[in-house]
Amino acid sequence: MSRPRIVIVGAGFAGYRTARTLSRLTRHQADITLLNPTDYFLYLPLLPQVAAGILEPRRVSVSLSGTLPHVRLVLGEADGIDLDGRTVHYTGPEGEEGTLPYDRLVLAAGSVNKLLPIPGVAEHAHGFRGLPEALYLRDHVTRQVELAAAADDRAECAARCTFVVVGAGYTGTEVAAHGAMYTDAQVRKHPMRTGMRPRWMLLDVAPRVMPEMDERLSATAERVLRQRGVEVRMGTSVQEATHDGVVLTDGSTVDTRTLVWCVGVRPDPLVESLGLPMERGRLLVDPHLQVPGRPELFACGDAAAVPDPNQPGQYTPMTAQHAWRHGKVCAHNVVASLGRGQRKAYRHRDMGFVVDLGGAKAAANPFGLPMSGPAAGAVTRGYHLAAMPGNRVRVAADWLLDAVLPRQAVQLGLVRSWSVPLESSSPEVARVPGRPERTGTDTGSDLGKDPGQSGSEPDGEPARTPPSKPVKNRPSEPAKNRPSGEPAKNQPGGEPAKNQPGGEPARNQPHTEPAKRGPSGSPRASGRPRRAVEAAGPRPARGGSGKPGKASRASGTGSAGKRPTAPSGPSRSARPPADPGPEPPANQPPPGPDIAPGPVKRTDGRAVEGDS
């Protein structure tokens, strides 16, 4: 008898736990394949500490191959699922395509940034869902403080050292709390103008900070924020965003170069392409995390609507705590479907939540017991160390060093503004020049609904975005078969917009414009599918606002071997690029992310060392 083939799409909290538990339960009697765009599991709750310079990026990145030795890792993004043929189509990091057959499929695609139809937000705000966004925010905040300290104009100084965070859930609250400490430490080395200091603002339409938590913990978090100088404005959000600032819903205008978007997430668009019953963008499953009518298909994490046994008629919220538990139950039920053991229904007990506010401050309610101050800080960090599947000693060492040594406030410049667009449907991978743009379907909801680090509960209302104007002279076909480098997800391949907040317009940078690209039918490349591919072509003139159409590749009908194509429509992903610099020779391939822009040539007629 052949070994059963189990494919897991996505290596977030749910996908990683499923793979780890399956590896133990099957005792190497099944072929387990994990499809993910990166080779690491990201521990999202500690991401604000990466942005604040407390932890190094690799501390919150747990190696998949190192911790899952009996699981086959395939790097790529699922872009189509044939339910009848039982295959998953994917695109690899270098543009190669492949197909994974399966006997059991686990969808743990997770979630992506949630957009709202607010003018200017998609162009001037940045999310906080992946390592590239955290690294960009750290560099950007550091740069703004340094530029503010050197500015001659008082108004420019004030705008550069003003930082606006939208969304007072867990993520937004931690970003504002850690960010205020980080900038205060910076200005001690870069004195500001007389009477000037960094200004942090936390906005939300909710009536209080972290409305999902106990009122006492919410009050504790708000008190700590205000003590650090954070301006907390409840019942207020952004009405419009521009390069120079934001207009708030109360009519006031704030001059700033930084807008951090932490209003929550939406389920990955992959599940929508299947044509199966949905609940607010999440795939409906039974209490055993199995899709009704599809005994070979399971779903867990943010992409699945799992019935909550403690609240009949409700579904478990999109939090990391639930996703981690989903993974364990899902693995048991997958093995049971293969004839080993009994199925288990998902049940849970609320263990409470912890919020790290930086330093010795935190808010926590373990098992319903409200705590604050240093005791809550110890419980919070102890919980994170226990919950992390790896790197515990390294994380603890970084915390110890941060307590006794000053932080290094330097900007590495590894991630540019245009590399981490808010509308990216793959925030875990930074945009790379010369790669096709891939977008998902946007769904909007109210601000401030962020029940956990893993995401927030969407309200299911679609965001209505105004149609965008197409860029002239842009080819309508996506690119294929790129040379070296990793493919960008949800990226148009263009350069950054000129007027992004705090963004660098990429002028005079060493990269060159990619050569012409041929047509392709290859969409997306992550553990999550993208149903649309942006055409990447010649860059328009500076200041253009074109947005190419998108073409769907997902096989949502479930018919074998067929992938219906959605009609092209407007996309809000493309941004007007800056001047890319001189045009490269026609026969020169576009540079990869880790190589020089082009070959070195001499002008004295002699060959360069290494030339043939």
Side-chain angles (χ1 to χ4, degrees), residues 467-491:
S468 49
K469 300 179 181 179
V471 179
K472 295 181 179 180
N473 301 326
R474 183 182 289 268
S476 59
E477 294 183 358
K480 182 180 182 181
N481 297 332
R482 300 303 162 87
S484 60
E486 293 207 357
K489 307 177 190 180
N490 191 29
Q491 297 155 11

Side-chain angles (χ1 to χ4, degrees), residues 506-515 539 578-585 588 591 597:
R507 175 180 292 184
N508 300 328
Q509 293 193 21
H511 68 271
T512 57
E513 182 171 339
R539 296 184 177 86
D579 184 6
E583 185 78 8
Q588 180 175 318

